[in-house]
């Protein structure tokens, strides 16, 4: 039987879970952009509210790290995981803000490939939200990081196809520049989800 001298401090797992649940809220809001007659300003403002809540969760996590004598696993890994979850939320917020500020939703329709990228992000967010509570036991996490990495590859493919669409001549040059910035944020969010999964894998290997 394996014994551990680390405490089962529940607050850390709860903060990770809350942060991941915010990512699901973020991708759900981005999915609203595909709805007819959507209020883009409202989506952008609600994304900002979720991002602010995520910032607060991250601050709580950092305070908890500094005030806890013995942490459930390495402090550096706790800090890194919290920071990476916050990074994902920053990218999701940026997508909504740019679409609104650049007026891109006034186009007849957003590119299908953009919605495909958002769909990939939504799947990654839900996987991540399911995985965070499992950190407590460190069991059955391998399917999570394998699938999250597979989805990141799907995101890369959708990103490349989006670029092909943007540079096909269908859009004017200024719209292409604006949409390219949005596409880069979407792709960065996919990568950030993968970084979260890779960090979870590192933690699980260390604790096994």
């Amino acid at each position: 039987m394996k014994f551990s001298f680390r405490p089962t401090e529940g607050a850390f797992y709860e903060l990770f879970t809350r942060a991941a649940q915010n990512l699901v809220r973020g991708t759900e809001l981005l999915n609203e952009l595909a709805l007819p007659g959507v209020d883009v300003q409202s989506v952008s403002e609600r994304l900002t509210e979720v991002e602010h809540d995520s910032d607060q969760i991250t601050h709580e996590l950092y305070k908890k790290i500094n005030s806890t004598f013995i942490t459930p696993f390495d402090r550096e890994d706790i800090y890194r995981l919290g920071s990476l979850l916050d990074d994902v939320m920053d990218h999701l917020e940026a997508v909504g803000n740019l679409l609104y500020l650049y007026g891109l939703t006034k186009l007849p329709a957003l590119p299908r490939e953009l919605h495909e990228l958002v769909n990939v992000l939504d799947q990654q967010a839900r996987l991540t939200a399911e995985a965070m509570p499992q950190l407590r036991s460190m069991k059955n996490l391998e399917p999570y990081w394998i699938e999250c990495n597979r989805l990141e590859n799907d995101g890369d493919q959708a990103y490349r196809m989006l670029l092909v669409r943007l540079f096909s001549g269908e859009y004017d040059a200024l719209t292409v520049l604006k949409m390219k910035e949005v596409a880069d944020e979407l792709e960065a969010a996919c990568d950030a989800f993968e970084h979260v999964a890779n960090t979870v894998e590192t933690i699980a290997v260390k604790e096994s």
Side-chain angles (χ1 to χ4, degrees):
M1 181 180 292
K2 180 182 176 182
F3 292 94
S4 174
F5 291 101
R6 293 187 184 275
T8 55
E9 173 59 72
F12 289 106
Y13 306 115
E14 290 166 8
L15 289 167
F16 288 139
T17 298
R18 283 170 53 198
Q21 288 169 344
N22 270 353
L23 299 181
V24 174
R25 290 172 62 196
T27 57
E28 285 175 346
L29 285 168
L30 289 182
N31 270 318
E32 287 187 22
L33 295 171
L35 301 175
V38 62
D39 184 342
V40 185
Q41 181 177 356
S42 172
V43 170
S44 177
E45 289 173 350
R46 282 180 285 153
L47 271 167
T48 297
E49 289 173 4
V50 177
E51 193 275 333
H52 288 167
D53 187 54
S54 291
D55 281 345
Q56 183 59 40
I57 292 170
T58 305
H59 292 318
E60 287 181 44
L61 181 68
Y62 293 166
K63 285 174 62 178
K64 190 68 180 173
I65 294 171
N66 293 329
S67 63
T68 302
F69 183 62
I70 302 177
T71 54
F73 45 90
D74 288 350
R75 292 173 188 276
E76 294 79 4
D77 290 331
I78 293 174
Y79 183 90
R80 176 168 173 75
L81 182 55
S83 177
L84 289 171
L85 288 166
D86 191 51
D87 287 346
V88 180
M89 191 66 241
D90 289 342
H91 291 304
L92 298 181
E93 182 203 19
V95 171
N97 286 350
L98 289 172
L99 285 169
Y100 169 60
L101 294 172
Y102 285 164
L104 290 168
T105 51
K106 295 176 183 176
L107 295 171
L110 291 170
R112 182 189 73 255
E113 296 82 1
L114 186 148
H115 294 301
E116 290 174 356
L117 256 171
V118 172
N119 181 256
V120 169
L121 289 171
D122 189 56
Q123 293 179 68
Q124 286 181 305
R126 294 178 190 281
L127 271 174
T128 303
E130 291 171 3
M132 289 302 105
Q134 293 174 260
L135 285 171
R136 192 185 294 266
S137 65
M138 293 293 173
K139 293 179 180 177
N140 305 316
L141 282 164
E142 185 174 359
Y144 152 66
W145 64 68
I146 290 174
E147 178 63 7
C148 201
N149 287 327
R150 187 195 69 76
L151 286 167
E152 193 275 334
N153 292 332
D154 287 351
D156 280 345
Q157 178 65 18
Y159 172 71
R160 286 191 289 268
M161 295 310 296
L162 178 54
L163 294 186
V164 170
R165 178 84 173 271
L166 292 180
F167 294 110
S168 67
E170 180 179 347
Y171 302 98
D172 63 82
L174 185 56
T175 298
V176 169
L177 289 173
K178 293 175 179 178
M179 196 72 77
K180 172 66 164 56
E181 193 170 343
V182 173
D184 288 345
E185 288 290 348
L186 287 165
E187 199 263 344
C190 280
D191 287 347
F193 270 121
E194 184 183 35
H195 296 156
V196 169
N198 290 344
T199 298
V200 169
E201 180 179 8
T202 299
I203 292 168
V205 169
K206 284 183 180 180
E207 296 299 313
S208 63

